[in-house]
Amino acid sequence: MSDWTLRLTKSLHQARSQPESRYFQLATLTEDLVPANRTVVFRYLDNVDNALVVVADTRSAKWSELSLQPKASVCWYFSKSREQYRFIVHGEGYTRETAPELIDKQWSKLSDAGRKQYFWGQPGSVKQSNGPLRVTEDMSHPPEHFCVLKLLIKSVDYLSLQGNPQYREKHWLDSSGKWVSQPIIP
Ligand SMILES: Cc1cc2nc3c(=O)[nH]c(=O)nc-3n(C[C@H](O)[C@H](O)[C@H](O)COP(=O)(O)O)c2cc1C
């Protein structure tokens, strides 16, 4: 396991009683080269691919933005341990067509409320009525637009506010594909 993986695993453990620590911000780049940022739920850390895994909708902007430009940024703050992680990532999208087992597994982990969101209609489109969005579909199987995003980590910028002075270090892959780290001035 790399140094940053051990750090992140520890941060997640320390924040296990704080649901808000499972949210991070994912910034992609729009077609017009404007950064687009949004909050997503961290699902799990894929130790084989070194990836943060999230679920999403292929009809959303983040999917099309990552399809055009897979390079993206993640910013994640753990308020209890006062640590910030900034990751440069490469986004890879999976659907039922390309990764049925992964999709079915992540779908099975969603609550009914989580599943319903995928049946409200096209994200970002005009809402046709003022009433509540009703879902009558069978939610036992994921719709084709349900997707998993693997955010493959290419570098890590870690900052801890715990001490005085603060502590910051960078982690990146060297030319042989091995993780290296370097403390830097905060
Ligand atoms: C706390 C929180 C958690 C969220 N988690 C997710 C998520 O896991 N996946 C997702 O697609 N959208 C999630 N959203 C909604 C996104 O932030 C965003 O509004 C939506 O996906 C549309 O984004 P886009 O048009 O930029 O793709 C979450 C929002 C909040 C406030």
Side-chain angles (χ1 to χ4, degrees), residues 41-61:
V41 179
F42 165 74
R43 299 288 165 182
Y44 69 97
L45 179 66
D46 179 334
N47 282 312
V48 176
D49 289 338
N50 274 322
L52 304 173
V53 181
V54 304
V55 300
D57 191 314
T58 58
R59 303 166 303 172
S60 68

Side-chain angles (χ1 to χ4, degrees), residues 23 38-41 55-56 60-62:
Y23 307 142
R38 81 281 288 159
T39 308
V40 289
V41 179
V55 300
S60 68
K62 69 182 86 50

